[in-house]
Every structure is written in structure tokens, then in C-alpha cells.
Amino acid sequence: MKRFLLIFVCAFVCFGAKAEEGFDMGEYLFGHIGDSYEWHITSIAGHEISIPLPCIVWGETNGPAVFLSSRLEGGEKYRGYYIPDEGDNAGKIVEDAPDGTQVCPIDISITKNVAALMISAAILLWLILACSRWYRRHDVTHEAPTGVAALLEPVIVMIDDEVIKDSIGPGYEKYSPYLLTAFFFILINNLMGIIPFFPGGANVTGNIAVTMALALFTFIAVNLFGSKHYFKDIFWPDVPLFLKAIPIMPVIEIIGMFTKPLSLMIRLFANILAGHVLILSVVALVFISATLGPVLFGSMSLVAVLFGIFMDCLELLVAFIQAYVFTMLSAVFIGLAHPQVAETER
């Protein structure tokens, strides 16, 4: 359903963009879902209100520098560094080399996505510590959880018992901390991305670098703790000898080792990014239809508002589903390589 809605909205956007000459759809979309050196809040009477973020760079020509991104507003240079508006390095901090070419320095700046990751990590840490504090101070055999503990306990029990335990089997306990952390981390970032105002709105789980890091952790957990039976099934599977001698099946199994985390990475990235693009496209209908006459403008604005509310409610469900699916598939992949499971089956 999401694909058909996206096609419809994009079709109208492409049509309406011709009528709205001053509206740059590409800049609007990528400005919201892309990363940046500042956190844009809003615009008032044409004045942009943003939170400048720390820029930390080290260039071969100008050396190390730490400054706020507000120093580079409007194409200004600071200590030899600037952000070009066009070209291959548009939107990135660069410096001019001795030969006049633009060179990207070592950049470890705290960008919008990095700041959003820090905020999400702080929220997750606060939730876990608050839950843990309640259990340390109360007797669970005589008291029902309250507050944050009452909110998290049903979710933790559901994921731990119905997903992690069922997928991994004996010895699942040592994987529960990672999988539960991954679930809540993804869920919090998904929910924060739906919030349209600070500190929400960042496209964290819609950034392929973030989903790649999460998938990499699952890849490490699968292959670092895999049993000898798991690796035997990869390099010497129980198939006819000619398939192993050529070798066809070992190559397929080795490729499968990498396609599993790759599917985790792309699935989470694509679904969250598509949801952000669709919601932004729906909101854009208001601006695009502004020059199409009062009747069409009023009707499309009403459709955009109702459609936007519907999509936000749908994205709340998607936020949970994507966190659940990532955790479930990670648990399944770990379970397939789990030593106790492999030995029990044999």
C-alpha cells in the first residue's frame, strides 16, 4: 500500500512542481532526510532558526580546527574551511589545496544525525536505568511495576520470551542484552524520526550508515559465536560430493553469510526512508497546490492534512514492526549458528 501511495503523491508532486516555480522539491526532501552541520528548527518571516553544531576537522593545509557550524553560514570561510553550494563536495566542509582544488579534510563533526544518535542513546539509557532502579528498590513478588518499569516490562518480556528465546533456544540469555538493546534503540530512533520538531525529525534509521552498523553487529554475533557445525555446513555442507568439489554450495553458503546482514541493513533503511519521503511529499502538497487556484488549493490542503495524520499513525505501527523484524531476524540468524542448538539437533 505504501508503494502505491508514494507513486500517487510523487506523480502529483511532479505535476504541481511546474506550477510552483519557487518551490524546489529536491532541496525540500533532501534537506529534511539528509544530514547537515546544523539542526534546522523553523523559519519565521524568512529568517532561518537553526541550532549550530560543533564542526571538528583536520585538513592537510589548514590543520585541526574546532568551531560551530554558524561560522560557515552563507558560504563564509573560517580558518580556511568552507561549505560549497554546488559541485561534487556540495554540503561538505572543504578546504583549498595549494593547487586550488577543493579537498575534503578528515571530518568527525557532530552532525544532525550524530546529535540525534546521542539524544536517542541518552533516552534509551535513561529508560533502562529508570526501569532497573525500580526493580532494585521493590519486591516484584509483592508489587506490580509502576512508571517506566510498567511501560517496559511487557515489551521486554514479549521480545525476550517470544522472539529471542524461541529463535535461539538454550543459551539465549547471553544474546538477550544485545538484541533487546537493538530493538529499543531502533524503536526509539524510528519514533523520534516521526516527531516533526526538535529533538525529533532526524532521519537516523533512514541513514544506511546507521543500519549498516547495526547489521554489522548482528554479523559479528552470528559468526563470532558460531559452532563448528555452523561453519561445517558453510564450507563442507551435506550435499553430493561434486557440488562441494567444484565448489558450488560452499560459494553459495559463503555469499549467504553476507547477504543475511545485507538484507537487514537494506530492509530497515528502505522502509524508514520511504516513510519519511512519503510524509514529506504529502506535506509538500500544500505548498505545491498554492498556485493552482483557491478550490484546488483548499481541497488538496485538506487532503494533505488528513493524509498526513493517517501516515503518521501508520508510521507509528511501522516503527514498531521494523524494530521487531530486525530483532527477530537477528535472533533467527544467531539461532542458526548457536552451538547448543546445533548440538541438540544432532
Side-chain angles (χ1 to χ4, degrees):
M1 180 180 179
K2 183 183 290 188
R3 295 177 182 176
F4 291 108
L5 294 177
L6 185 59
I7 292 173
F8 167 76
V9 172
C10 290
F12 185 85
V13 164
C14 293
F15 167 75
K18 298 178 180 179
E20 181 68 29
E21 296 180 358
F23 184 75
D24 190 336
M25 189 63 186
E27 182 180 354
Y28 166 76
L29 284 178
F30 289 104
H32 283 78
I33 65 176
D35 204 359
S36 64
Y37 292 101
E38 62 181 11
W39 198 311
H40 183 264
I41 304 298
T42 187
S43 299
I44 300 179
H47 179 66
E48 303 291 337
I49 299 177
S50 304
I51 298 177
L53 298 172
C55 296
I56 307 171
V57 294
W58 190 312
E60 294 183 2
T61 304
N62 299 298
V66 180
F67 51 90
L68 290 178
S69 59
S70 55
R71 296 278 191 175
L72 305 181
E73 287 183 355
E76 295 292 328
K77 283 189 176 183
Y78 180 74
R79 297 184 59 177
Y81 297 102
Y82 63 98
I83 301 177
D85 295 328
E86 55 186 21
D88 295 336
N89 298 318
K92 301 177 183 178
I93 295 179
V94 300
E95 63 176 348
D96 290 329
D99 59 0
T101 59
Q102 291 181 352
V103 179
C104 292
I106 298 174
D107 190 349
I108 55 172
S109 303
I110 299 178
T111 60
K112 179 181 178 180
N113 283 346
V114 175
L117 279 171
M118 293 179 176
I119 293 172
S120 300
I123 293 174
L124 178 58
L125 187 61
W126 173 77
L127 289 174
I128 298 303
L129 292 179
C131 183
S132 175
R133 187 184 305 113
W134 189 94
Y135 281 101
R136 288 198 308 267
R137 297 179 179 180
H138 298 82
D139 185 359
V140 294
T141 60
H142 296 87
E143 295 182 65
T146 58
V148 176
L151 175 66
L152 295 184
E153 182 182 7
V155 182
I156 293 175
V157 171
M158 180 193 69
I159 298 299
D160 196 45
D161 291 347
E162 299 182 9
V163 177
I164 302 174
K165 183 178 180 180
D166 289 348
S167 299
I168 298 178
Y172 76 95
E173 295 88 353
K174 69 178 181 181
Y175 300 101
S176 291
Y178 160 65
L179 292 172
L180 285 170
T181 301
F183 172 80
F184 283 105
F185 179 78
I186 294 172
L187 179 61
I188 290 172
N189 279 289
N190 289 350
L191 295 176
M192 292 291 289
I194 301 174
I195 300 175
F197 50 83
F198 180 84
N203 184 37
V204 176
T205 42
N207 186 315
I208 198 166
V210 175
T211 60
M212 180 179 66
L214 291 169
L216 181 61
F217 287 132
T218 297
F219 176 79
I220 294 173
V222 170
N223 294 280
L224 186 62
F225 301 103
S227 68
K228 61 181 181 179
H229 302 288
Y230 167 71
F231 289 104
K232 175 183 177 297
D233 289 339
I234 292 176
F235 296 103
W236 198 255
D238 293 329
V239 294
L241 183 60
F242 74 92
L243 291 177
K244 292 185 285 189
I246 296 179
I248 297 178
M249 292 305 299
V251 172
I252 295 175
E253 293 292 339
I254 292 173
I255 293 174
M257 291 174 58
F258 297 95
T259 55
K260 290 174 183 176
L262 184 66
S263 66
L264 288 177
M265 176 185 73
I266 295 177
R267 179 183 289 105
L268 179 60
F269 158 73
N271 279 280
I272 300 303
L273 181 64
H276 281 219
V277 171
L278 184 53
I279 292 176
L280 291 170
S281 300
V282 169
V283 175
L285 296 179
V286 177
F287 307 105
I288 291 174
S289 61
T291 59
L292 300 180
V295 176
L296 189 57
F297 172 61
S299 59
M300 290 309 302
S301 296
L302 178 62
V303 170
V305 171
L306 296 177
F307 207 1
I309 295 174
F310 168 75
M311 286 306 306
D312 276 335
C313 295
L314 182 61
E315 285 303 308
L316 289 174
L317 179 62
V318 171
F320 178 84
I321 290 175
Q322 290 306 315
Y324 181 89
V325 169
F326 186 96
T327 306
M328 180 189 66
L329 291 178
S330 295
V332 169
F333 296 155
I334 292 173
L336 293 174
H338 197 265
Q340 285 87 345
V341 173
E343 292 169 3
T344 300
E345 291 177 350
R346 285 164 173 77

